[in-house]
Amino acid sequence: MPAITSANRRSVIAAGALVLWVLVLIFGWAIQPIEDTVPVEVDPASELAAILAERPDLTPPDAVRAQLVHCNSLFANDARDFAEPLPELPPEYVYARTPCIGPHNGARVAAAVNVVAVIALVVGWVMISRRFRLEAEPETKSTSPTPVG
């Protein structure tokens, strides 16, 4: 087994520190609450929807188009705290989709991809460093003469 040189030791420490830093960044990002900008639309069952269907030019220019909703972090079981009500919308407006579920699931996928990428880089680095170490080892074959005869 070859002796570990100070250059190899520094390389291992630097790689370990880099992996640790990336994992700290991923974890620090994952514990942050998520925010979701949810599209808002006129309730299709309302009188306003019937009026705007006939006369779309009556839509006010400052009509609500989206609402910011605060969601839970990736480590929470639920995408948002259902005990806490959603932000109120103007009358006759509704959320176009369920808040928080899409961004929460997407962030979980992104976190998983980040962790898998870090693991793949570590495994790749270990395999490459082992290969170079094995190639660098001097051959220690026996050089005794072969008998003739």
Side-chain angles (χ1 to χ4, degrees):
M1 182 163 195
I4 296 178
T5 65
S6 63
N8 286 343
R9 184 175 290 128
R10 283 192 304 264
S11 174
V12 169
I13 290 171
L18 180 63
V19 167
L20 182 63
W21 178 245
V22 169
L23 289 175
V24 164
L25 289 177
I26 291 170
F27 184 75
W29 165 76
I31 62 172
Q32 298 298 316
I34 299 170
E35 292 183 340
D36 185 11
T37 304
V38 185
V40 174
E41 62 188 12
V42 176
D43 186 357
S46 71
E47 289 180 27
L48 180 61
I51 294 170
L52 292 178
E54 293 175 14
R55 301 262 329 261
D57 58 316
L58 294 178
T59 304
D62 61 342
V64 178
R65 306 265 187 246
Q67 176 65 48
L68 184 68
V69 177
H70 297 282
C71 310
N72 290 333
S73 74
L74 301 183
F75 297 118
N77 288 334
D78 296 321
R80 69 175 194 85
D81 186 8
F82 294 106
E84 187 177 309
L86 288 170
E88 288 192 34
L89 298 175
E92 300 185 343
Y93 282 85
V94 294
Y95 290 101
R97 63 172 169 79
T98 305
C100 298
I101 292 177
H104 195 258
N105 290 339
R108 282 185 171 182
V109 169
V113 167
N114 286 334
V115 169
V116 168
V118 168
I119 291 170
L121 288 173
V122 168
V123 169
W125 181 78
V126 167
M127 290 175 60
I128 289 171
S129 65
R130 289 186 76 208
R131 181 176 179 186
F132 283 130
R133 199 174 313 140
L134 291 175
E135 289 176 359
E137 287 182 11
E139 294 185 20
T140 56
K141 293 184 178 177
S142 171
T143 57
S144 59
T146 56
V148 179

